[in-house]
Amino acid sequence: MSADCESGRPKRVLVVGAGAAGMACADTLAQHPDRFHVTIVEAQSQCGGQMFSVPIDQKEFGADWLNQGVQGGSHIYHHTFYVFEKLNHHPQPVDLQVSFGKGNTFWTNVYPTKLVARHSKEIKRFLWAIKAMRWFELVFALIPIKVSLKLFFFSDEFINCMIYPSLALFLGTGNATPNLPSVMMERLYTSPTYGMWYPIDEKMLSSNLPPMVVFPNATSVYSDWKESLEKRGVSVRLDTELKQVLSRSKQDGVRVSISRKANANVASADASNSDQGAKHTEDESGSQEEVVEETYDEIVFCVLADTAKRLLGKEARWVEKKVLGSTKWSDDVTVTHNDLDYMKKWYELEYNDNVAVSDLAGRDESGRIEKAKTMFQPMYLIKQTPADPRKLEMSFDCSAFQYQLPKDAPLEKHVFQTIFLNNKHDDTWSKHEINPEKIITENWWHQLCHSYTHYLFVVPFLFILNRVRSHRYHTRFAGSWTLVNAHEVAVISGIAAAYSLGADYPKELKDDRFAKLCFRLYLLLVHWRWFKP
């Protein structure tokens, strides 16, 4: 096949997974139909991976759809915005309000509370500690947050109630937050570009309202993206699953076994890649499926690392087993509901005069208090579980956050999402307290557990898979798991995989200095390639 490629035939590229990474990879390759023929296989019946929308009762809640999984992100998500805009979908800006804890342990970025006043000295010391971490970034890049905070003698209440929730919010790291490298915490407080809590308020810790964006209808975005790719010659095959990688070699490319459901739309399948004599079998649910063997020049795994390892099977080399196998995972569940009683029991949803303070270490806060009485409408809420204060439960008030839902609706008409993390610790969950009659839907997620080990044993060695070994085995890996859980990282990773195959960086982003900087850093870290715009 190498000779065929050299003679001018487009490379046949198989992209596994139609989430953000897979779609971005295919989109970038599709810029060059003369150089690449792209096929995407996706086991689910729709594109988008963990970003999709669900129907809700418009009469009850004021809108007929709700985003699940990925709801929004930071204003620095330039690659994500590029995708949205070219598909004529427009994210909406929002100033983020948070609510952490309840009663005596409650604090927010909107107005000062008794908890904040109680830890005024530690907040001032935290400002000094963060500066020290910035001076010695290389050292603190190797030290977990839980260790560095103890090195500076911060109290458990300050750490558990104030620091961990503020980090878990932006990084999406949940209960793995204590194990993250300290440099990630430092950047969130010191970076004027992507520091969510920059600058630190020496009296209140966090008093800014971070500029965020709310994503448009996720299912519509990915449906339009799929249609756009198909118009440019990409074969998007839903309800189609990669069963196994059968062989990989430098001369003969990648041979795979693929199954598709009997009712799958295969009109756009690239028959030239398939062998004759497809086998018809039944899957575990008893449904008919067709199994075929196909051959490609390159394969890009845009699925979770443990899934990629399983699909490689006996074809996985020891370094792939080691790197992919070093990732850690948890199974989380999101309960979408409108149980106001549950939310009021565990969270502060409204301004609470009983915990507010008008004087904070000598600074008059009466103006902030007066504004909070009318404007406080928290969008993101976190509490500590009673069984273990280091374990978190997270919730969204979707009616306050997602733009399509009315902001003046009474609380009893709000839609909430509560996320319970890691079913290995389900004994700490309060999920059973949510009224079953108030539940709209439940969704389980297989999520990366961020840990300092991830940044010691996975991220630093991905270049071996994506650069050193890629030419011999025609294999690359993409997805948010390659760095940190974020839609933006997934999109960048897909573009980077396509770039490493020889595609150009999107011309629409070439004048965006910040986007190019983020892409350059990712490409260098994960692929060991220098970006040449």
Side-chain angles (χ1 to χ4, degrees):
M1 284 198 309
S2 298
D4 292 338
C5 292
E6 291 174 0
S7 66
R9 176 179 62 80
K11 279 187 178 181
R12 294 171 293 185
V13 181
L14 177 64
V15 178
V16 185
M23 298 291 275
C25 180
D27 190 271
T28 308
L29 292 170
Q31 296 177 121
H32 313 286
D34 57 324
R35 287 148 59 182
F36 303 102
H37 185 282
V38 186
T39 299
I40 302 178
V41 293
E42 168 56 53
Q44 304 301 315
S45 59
Q46 64 182 24
C47 301
Q50 294 189 356
M51 182 177 170
F52 60 95
S53 53
V54 296
I56 57 175
D57 189 335
Q58 184 168 10
K59 291 183 179 179
E60 181 75 11
F61 304 115
D64 61 0
W65 61 272
L66 184 80
N67 276 343
Q68 292 282 89
V70 182
Q71 298 188 47
S74 170
H75 66 285
I76 66 172
Y77 283 13
H78 290 204
H79 295 84
T80 297
F81 301 154
Y82 149 72
V83 171
F84 289 163
E85 293 297 328
K86 78 173 187 173
L87 296 171
N88 201 28
H89 289 277
H90 308 288
Q92 300 298 314
V94 63
D95 292 331
L96 189 68
Q97 297 185 31
V98 300
S99 174
F100 297 150
K102 174 77 173 176
N104 192 47
T105 60
F106 163 68
W107 72 285
T108 173
N109 62 330
V110 180
Y111 65 96
T113 66
K114 293 179 179 178
L115 176 72
V116 175
R118 194 160 63 243
H119 292 284
S120 59
K121 292 182 179 179
E122 287 189 282
I123 291 173
K124 188 174 182 179
R125 183 151 46 90
F126 182 76
L127 178 61
W128 177 85
I130 285 294
K131 289 181 179 178
M133 293 179 195
R134 187 164 182 78
W135 294 335
F136 301 100
E137 270 191 345
L138 292 179
V139 175
F140 283 97
L142 303 175
I143 301 177
I145 292 173
K146 62 183 179 183
V147 175
S148 64
L149 290 174
K150 283 299 182 181
L151 286 175
F152 289 98
F153 302 102
F154 292 110
S155 68
D156 287 341
E157 184 179 68
F158 179 72
I159 293 172
N160 295 334
C161 297
M162 298 195 71
I163 301 302
Y164 287 160
S166 68
L167 304 179
L169 161 63
F170 185 80
L171 297 173
T173 49
N175 292 333
T177 302
N179 296 319
L180 292 173
S182 299
V183 68
M184 298 180 73
M185 172 179 67
E186 174 258 308
R187 284 305 177 95
L188 285 184
Y189 282 98
T190 63
S191 172
T193 305
Y194 50 81
M196 182 176 189
W197 300 119
Y198 174 87
I200 299 176
D201 186 324
E202 64 179 4
K203 303 284 188 181
M204 195 170 148
L205 184 63
S206 302
S207 61
N208 63 311
L209 301 180
M212 304 288 284
V213 293
V214 184
F215 289 170
N217 186 306
T219 296
S220 295
V221 169
Y222 275 90
S223 294
D224 290 348
W225 204 356
K226 172 180 177 289
E227 183 179 345
S228 170
L229 291 177
E230 289 177 329
K231 286 181 178 178
R232 290 187 287 156
V234 175
S235 173
V236 183
R237 298 157 63 178
L238 304 180
D239 289 317
T240 304
E241 182 179 3
L242 176 67
K243 301 291 285 187
Q244 199 72 57
V245 174
L246 302 176
S247 65
R248 294 181 297 168
S249 70
K250 189 173 183 179
Q251 294 76 24
D252 299 322
V254 183
R255 190 174 181 80
V256 297
S257 172
I258 292 177
S259 73
R260 53 182 177 242
K261 296 179 182 177
N263 61 346
N265 180 10
V266 296
S268 60
D270 181 14
S272 66
N273 289 347
S274 301
D275 292 343
Q276 299 296 320
K279 299 178 182 178
H280 294 269
T281 62
E282 289 188 356
D283 62 15
E284 294 179 355
S285 64
S287 300
Q288 289 289 323
E289 62 177 3
E290 182 184 47
V291 180
V292 296
E293 292 184 6
E294 299 179 354
T295 304
Y296 294 86
D297 300 307
E298 304 284 346
I299 187 170
V300 183
F301 284 100
C302 298
V303 293
L304 301 180
D306 54 349
T307 302
K309 181 184 176 184
R310 174 177 58 82
L311 295 176
L312 284 170
K314 295 180 180 179
E315 279 297 304
R317 273 40 183 183
W318 71 268
V319 68
E320 291 171 326
K321 293 178 181 178
K322 186 65 177 178
V323 176
L324 300 176
S326 294
T327 56
K328 299 179 181 179
W329 304 87
S330 69
D331 292 308
D332 311 335
V333 61
T334 297
V335 181
T336 304
H337 62 94
N338 67 319
D339 190 343
L340 182 58
D341 291 336
Y342 174 86
M343 295 299 293
K344 282 188 171 182
K345 175 181 177 181
W346 292 110
Y347 301 101
E348 298 284 355
L349 300 176
E350 301 173 283
Y351 171 78
N352 186 348
D353 195 55
N354 293 326
V355 298
V357 294
S358 57
D359 182 90
L360 197 60
R363 189 173 73 186
D364 182 18
E365 297 288 344
S366 56
R368 196 188 299 273
I369 293 296
E370 288 304 313
K371 287 183 179 179
K373 290 178 180 179
T374 57
M375 71 170 285
F376 183 60
Q377 194 175 30
M379 305 157 187
Y380 197 96
L381 310 98
I382 293 181
K383 74 174 182 69
Q384 290 76 40
T385 61
D388 185 348
R390 288 205 171 188
K391 290 185 171 57
L392 305 174
E393 173 187 301
M394 300 183 287
S395 287
F396 284 97
D397 183 342
C398 298
S399 296
F401 187 52
Q402 295 192 27
Y403 68 86
Q404 78 281 10
L405 296 165
K407 300 298 171 280
D408 56 352
L411 280 175
E412 57 267 21
K413 296 292 185 179
H414 280 212
V415 181
F416 305 103
Q417 287 184 342
T418 302
I419 306 171
F420 299 94
L421 302 168
N422 200 339
N423 65 348
K424 293 180 180 179
H425 307 299
D426 60 2
D427 57 315
T428 67
W429 292 1
S430 56
K431 179 174 176 286
H432 62 282
E433 297 182 20
I434 300 177
N435 185 346
E437 296 181 358
K438 299 286 187 177
I439 294 177
I440 299 171
T441 184
E442 290 188 15
N443 297 98
W444 283 87
W445 317 95
H446 190 56
Q447 297 279 30
L448 175 71
C449 287
H450 297 82
S451 168
Y452 72 95
T453 59
H454 185 69
Y455 301 97
L456 285 179
F457 305 125
V458 179
V459 177
F461 300 101
L462 282 171
F463 78 92
I464 300 177
L465 277 57
N466 282 326
R467 179 65 189 266
V468 177
R469 310 289 284 182
S470 61
H471 294 295
R472 182 173 181 178
Y473 297 112
H474 306 284
T475 305
R476 286 162 179 80
F477 301 88
S480 62
W481 65 269
T482 57
L483 197 57
V484 62
N485 271 343
H487 190 270
E488 176 74 355
V489 174
V491 174
I492 291 175
S493 74
I495 297 174
Y499 184 86
S500 73
L501 285 167
D504 293 338
Y505 186 66
K507 60 180 183 299
E508 296 88 345
L509 290 168
K510 286 186 176 180
D511 293 329
D512 188 329
R513 295 179 62 184
F514 182 76
K516 288 195 296 184
L517 174 62
C518 293
F519 182 76
R520 179 178 284 112
L521 291 175
Y522 179 90
L523 190 69
L524 187 61
L525 180 63
V526 179
H527 288 265
W528 266 31
R529 293 179 183 273
W530 186 250
F531 176 50
K532 299 178 181 179

